[in-house]
């Protein structure tokens, strides 16, 4: 099908195959990259891309990797992430990334090849009812059975993915429909509007915040998605209110700022959590009060006055009683609040309050240069990583206990420098690093994963090599599924089953992949290895050998067993 009937931006009507119509919609929506494992069920779409050089097809080694790449690319670039997969088997592999996009509120459109229309409902080869299967982890799922409706429904998919609380949309495409020709009428890209705050509500919220004794601002993905970091800094300085960031949203506020008070997520320091519990007024902006953020829904006290600003009205008042709920785009609300306070004077009491919190933060969260000779001390490694990397370097974070050190100690200064799955998906970090590096090719991108998560998607290093994407993969190796071992030792001390691992020689593995590889066994080895990796023109694996007894940032296996024994 190389004789594509091309369509100019001005032309809206022409005869095309379904596959060509899909690609034309992608072009009109400004899509520059798509991620997939090639498959016959959407081959007409791939063939149409052959004649569309403006869209780069990234062929990955697993659909889960493709979805993670699309999700991270969307976070980094600010565009809609697009991934493709085949019916049944491929689409279910894609699900982990779609679920991540749903929980992270990341705009994504997933295009899934589907069984021929005449075979639907007969348990055709690899048939899955995709709309039903994905209905609860997407904003919308739809099957297009008529090629004439591709522009209508696919343009709509992009609008839904970006509007309100962003998220994934799944579009099912029967393969025979993609081959069929039809007269199609295209639309132009239409970006969603951003809701403004209702000013009387905002004024009331500002009055509560101004009169508070121990106020606190907690921010999340709505701030990072709208690039509102600078405006948030201005608001915090004008009001004298300290800022905390929600789970894996560290880069929403510069961590070196005197008003930054730390993150609320997995493993926050108890000395910082007490400030949330003591707050009399909390202003939450663009965030969800999830199980992780609220420490199993125990964090906020009933007497705390809560003001919640979010683009999704369903998020407001969902878990906690809310004094004032405002449906608004985060950036517009922050700007309006800053304007209300432009002439305000910050009291000496408020400045002292901010300083006290910041002093505690610096005591527990600034990394120290702690070195070991037998294993790598992760706090010391974070210190050296911080000292060596530029402030615009991007870290992609896998799930696992190893991440506690990076979440507590690494200081994020610039927006779009930290990408981690709030879904807790293992295997995210390596493909996410590829997606982020494709969005920001001139910035260092560091994947950080445990040996368990790294081994789930390490095959995407070949993708990185093939597309000349020189990411750096730190593998924190303790030969354990660390998070599960921690819970195992807490609840069933000494009864180890299923959590011990063995690992390959990562240096030989790197050589087999054709990438650079090194091993770090002591802290004093790390900086030279990292510098060589930053200079490399190919992807790099850096194996970091850690003490398996040090199971988390707060505990060792020995201490957990001792605690369990003392409790009977």
């Amino acid at each position: 099908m190389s004789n594509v009937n091309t369509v100019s931006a001005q032309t809206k009507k022409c005869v095309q195959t379904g596959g060509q119509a899909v690609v034309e919609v992608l072009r009109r929506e400004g899509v520059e990259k798509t991620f997939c494992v090639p498959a016959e069920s959407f081959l007409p779409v791939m063939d149409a891309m052959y004649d569309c050089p403006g869209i780069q097809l990234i062929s990955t080694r697993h659909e889960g990797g493709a979805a993670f790449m699309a999700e991270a690319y969307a976070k980094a670039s600010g565009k809609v992430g697009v991934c493709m997969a085949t019916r049944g088997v491929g689409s279910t592999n894609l699900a982990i990334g779609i679920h991540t996009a749903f929980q992270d509120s990341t705009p994504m459109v997933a295009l899934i090849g589907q069984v021929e229309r005449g075979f639907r409902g007969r348990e055709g080869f690899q048939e899955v009812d995709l709309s039903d299967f994905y209905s609860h982890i997407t904003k919308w799922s739809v099957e297009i059975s008529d090629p004439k409706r591709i522009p209508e429904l696919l343009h709509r998919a992009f609008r839904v993915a970006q509007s309100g609380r962003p998220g994934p949309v799944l579009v099912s495409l029967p393969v025979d429909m993609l081959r069929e020709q039809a007269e199609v009428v295209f639309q132009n890209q239409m970006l969603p509007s951003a809701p403004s705050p209702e000013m009387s509500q905002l004024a009331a919220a500002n009055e509560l915040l101004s009169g508070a004794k121990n106020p606190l601002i907690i921010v999340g993905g709505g701030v990072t998605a709208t690039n509102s970091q600078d405006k948030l800094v201005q608001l915090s300085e004008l009001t004298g209110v300290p800022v905390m960031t929600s789970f894996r949203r560290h880069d929403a506020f510069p961590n070196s700022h005197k008003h930054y008070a730390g993150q609320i997520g997995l493993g926050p320091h108890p000395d910082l959590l007490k400030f949330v519990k003591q707050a009399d007024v909390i202003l939450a902006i663009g965030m969800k009060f999830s199980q992780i953020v609220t420490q199993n829904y125990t964090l906020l006290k009933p007497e705390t006055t809560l003001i919640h600003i979010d683009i999704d009205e369903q998020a407001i008042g969902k878990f906690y009683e809310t004094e004032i709920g405002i449906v608004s785009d985060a950036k517009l609300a922050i700007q309006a609040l800053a304007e209300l306070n432009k002439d305000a004077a910050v009291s000496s009491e408020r400045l002292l309050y901010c300083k006290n919190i910041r002093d505690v933060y610096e005591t527990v969260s600034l990394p120290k240069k702690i070195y070991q000779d037998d294993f790598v001390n992760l706090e010391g490694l974070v210190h050296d990583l911080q000292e060596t990397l530029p402030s615009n370097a991007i870290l992609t974070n896998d799930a696992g206990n190893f991440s506690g050190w990076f979440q507590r100690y690494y200081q994020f200064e610039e927006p779009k420098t930290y990408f981690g799955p709030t879904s807790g998906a293992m295997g995210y970090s390596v493909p996410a690093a590829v997606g982020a590096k494709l969005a920001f090719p001139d910035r260092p991108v560091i994947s950080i994963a445990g040996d368990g998560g790294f081994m789930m998607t390490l095959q995407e290093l070949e993708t990185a090599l093939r597309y000349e994407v020189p990411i750096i993969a730190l593998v924190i190796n303790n030969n354990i599924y660390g998070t599960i071992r921690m819970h195992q030792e807490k609840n069933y001390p000494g009864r180890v089953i299923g959590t011990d691992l063995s690992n390959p020689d990562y240096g030989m593995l790197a050589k087999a992949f054709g990438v650079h590889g090194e091993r770090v066994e002591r802290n004093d080895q790390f900086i030279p290895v990292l510098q060589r990796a930053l200079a490399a023109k190919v992807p790099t694996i850096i194996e970091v050998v850690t003490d398996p007894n040090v199971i988390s940032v707060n505990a060792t296996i020995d201490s957990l067993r001792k605690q369990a024994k003392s409790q009977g």
Side-chain angles (χ1 to χ4, degrees):
M1 297 183 185
S2 60
N3 57 333
V4 176
N5 186 354
T6 57
V7 185
S8 71
Q10 291 74 33
T11 306
K12 290 196 171 185
K13 182 185 293 187
C14 65
V15 176
Q16 289 191 332
T17 66
Q20 292 167 350
V22 167
V23 173
E24 177 60 22
V25 172
L26 298 186
R27 187 185 72 81
R28 286 172 175 259
E29 290 290 341
V31 173
E32 296 176 352
K33 299 185 189 299
T34 60
F35 304 85
C36 75
V37 173
E40 68 276 12
S41 66
F42 60 90
L43 200 55
V45 176
M46 293 175 59
D47 182 72
M49 283 186 183
Y50 185 88
D51 295 298
C52 189
I55 301 176
Q56 183 183 22
L57 180 71
I58 307 295
S59 174
T60 70
R61 303 309 298 260
H62 190 273
E63 289 89 355
F68 283 146
M69 286 181 201
E71 196 274 344
Y73 175 80
K75 277 197 181 104
S77 68
K79 297 177 177 290
V80 177
V82 177
C83 53
M84 302 187 292
T86 194
R87 45 201 177 188
V89 291
S91 66
T92 50
N93 281 341
L94 205 70
I96 186 171
I98 292 176
H99 178 253
T100 297
F102 186 75
Q103 294 222 325
D104 278 48
S105 303
T106 305
M108 176 189 286
V109 171
L111 305 175
I112 312 294
Q114 179 58 294
V115 172
E116 292 87 343
R117 288 167 293 181
F119 301 157
R120 294 281 279 112
R122 296 180 175 181
E123 199 175 348
F125 181 59
Q126 300 180 338
E127 181 178 2
V128 168
D129 187 332
L130 295 167
S131 295
D132 187 53
F133 184 90
Y134 278 100
S135 60
H136 67 294
I137 57 169
T138 57
K139 290 187 67 180
W140 183 45
S141 55
V142 62
E143 183 163 304
I144 304 178
S145 57
D146 183 349
K148 292 181 181 178
R149 300 194 66 191
I150 287 174
E152 169 204 346
L153 295 173
L154 194 50
H155 279 299
R156 179 181 169 191
F158 276 85
R159 290 196 295 272
V160 171
Q162 298 171 87
S163 63
R165 173 192 168 190
V169 173
L170 181 133
V171 182
S172 172
L173 303 167
V175 63
D176 59 318
M177 185 275 298
L178 292 175
R179 299 191 192 104
E180 188 175 299
Q181 285 195 333
E183 185 175 75
V184 286
V185 180
F186 292 99
Q187 305 170 16
N188 292 323
Q189 182 186 34
M190 185 181 76
L191 296 177
S193 60
S196 300
E198 206 284 313
M199 290 308 296
S200 63
Q201 285 185 306
L202 206 65
N206 191 59
E207 187 174 348
L208 285 174
L209 197 66
S210 299
K213 182 180 180 181
N214 299 317
L216 191 64
I217 298 173
I218 305 176
V219 298
V223 172
T224 55
T226 56
N227 301 308
S228 306
Q229 189 193 59
D230 291 346
K231 295 297 180 182
L232 181 62
V233 169
Q234 183 184 24
L235 174 63
S236 177
E237 291 175 348
L238 287 170
T239 58
V241 179
V243 175
M244 283 187 166
T245 51
S246 65
F247 182 39
R248 290 182 173 160
R249 300 294 189 239
H250 301 58
D251 56 348
F253 195 85
N255 295 181
S256 65
H257 194 282
K258 62 183 179 180
H259 287 185
Y260 184 63
Q263 64 92 22
I264 309 173
L266 288 174
H269 198 283
D271 289 351
L272 294 174
L273 285 183
K274 73 179 182 182
F275 293 113
V276 185
K277 296 176 181 179
Q278 293 170 358
D280 54 348
V281 175
I282 289 178
L283 170 61
I285 306 175
M287 60 157 291
K288 296 180 292 183
F289 286 99
S290 66
Q291 179 183 357
I292 299 297
V293 167
T294 61
Q295 314 299 304
N296 293 324
Y297 307 104
T298 64
L299 190 57
L300 269 64
K301 299 300 181 184
E303 58 269 24
T304 300
T305 298
L306 178 61
I307 306 162
H308 195 175
I309 301 173
D310 200 273
I311 201 167
D312 179 12
E313 64 180 355
Q314 298 299 319
I316 297 173
K318 190 172 184 179
F319 303 115
Y320 289 106
E321 182 178 351
T322 304
E323 183 76 15
I324 299 177
I326 301 173
V327 178
S328 174
D329 172 84
K331 189 170 190 174
L332 294 178
I334 292 169
Q335 287 175 328
L337 276 170
E339 182 65 22
L340 287 175
N341 288 278
K342 65 180 181 179
D343 298 321
V346 181
S347 67
S348 58
E349 291 83 4
R350 187 66 67 80
L351 291 175
L352 180 60
Y353 168 66
C354 287
K355 182 180 184 303
N356 289 339
I357 294 180
R358 181 65 190 184
D359 287 346
V360 173
Y361 171 80
E362 292 184 359
T363 299
V364 300
S365 297
L366 296 185
K368 300 177 181 63
K369 193 178 180 72
I370 302 173
Y371 277 19
Q372 285 180 231
D373 293 329
D374 49 351
F375 290 102
V376 174
N377 179 284
L378 285 179
E379 184 177 349
L381 182 138
V382 173
H383 175 279
D384 290 346
L385 193 69
Q386 185 88 61
E387 291 293 308
T388 307
L389 293 177
S391 61
N392 70 347
I394 296 170
L395 271 59
T396 63
N397 194 95
D398 219 88
N401 267 14
F402 71 90
S403 67
W405 282 269
F406 297 89
Q407 291 176 157
R408 177 172 294 184
Y409 296 119
Y410 195 89
Q411 307 296 296
F412 294 89
E413 291 305 304
E414 298 187 26
K416 297 187 183 296
T417 52
Y418 180 59
F419 303 127
T422 63
S423 66
M426 294 180 73
Y428 176 85
S429 185
V430 170
V434 176
K437 185 72 172 176
L438 286 166
F440 290 114
D442 297 326
R443 292 165 62 174
V445 179
I446 319 297
S447 156
I448 305 171
D451 48 316
F454 176 75
M455 292 289 285
M456 292 184 179
T457 49
L458 66 89
Q459 67 271 17
E460 301 305 345
L461 286 170
E462 188 279 328
T463 306
L465 181 68
R466 183 163 25 101
Y467 288 97
E468 300 180 345
V469 184
I471 64 169
I472 298 171
L474 295 186
V475 185
I476 312 301
N477 184 15
N478 61 0
N479 292 293
I480 291 174
Y481 280 128
T483 304
I484 310 308
R485 174 64 67 82
M486 178 186 69
H487 290 291
Q488 198 171 55
E489 295 290 355
K490 281 182 177 179
N491 297 287
Y492 309 98
R495 295 174 60 83
V496 177
I497 182 171
T499 51
D500 282 332
L501 298 172
S502 61
N503 283 296
D505 182 319
Y506 286 108
M508 292 183 65
L509 184 70
K511 185 176 181 180
F513 270 102
V515 304
H516 182 64
E518 298 204 43
R519 177 182 171 97
V520 175
E521 298 177 338
R522 303 188 315 273
N523 285 89
D524 59 5
Q525 299 171 337
F526 178 65
I527 290 180
V529 168
L530 178 61
Q531 289 172 335
R532 288 193 289 272
L534 290 168
K537 303 299 183 184
V538 296
T540 299
I541 299 174
I542 301 176
E543 179 187 3
V544 176
V545 182
T546 62
D547 185 350
N549 184 50
V550 182
I551 200 66
S552 77
V553 71
N554 295 316
T556 64
I557 289 176
D558 289 343
S559 69
L560 292 175
R561 289 183 178 179
K562 183 177 180 180
Q563 181 182 359
K565 186 177 180 180
S566 68
Q567 293 174 348

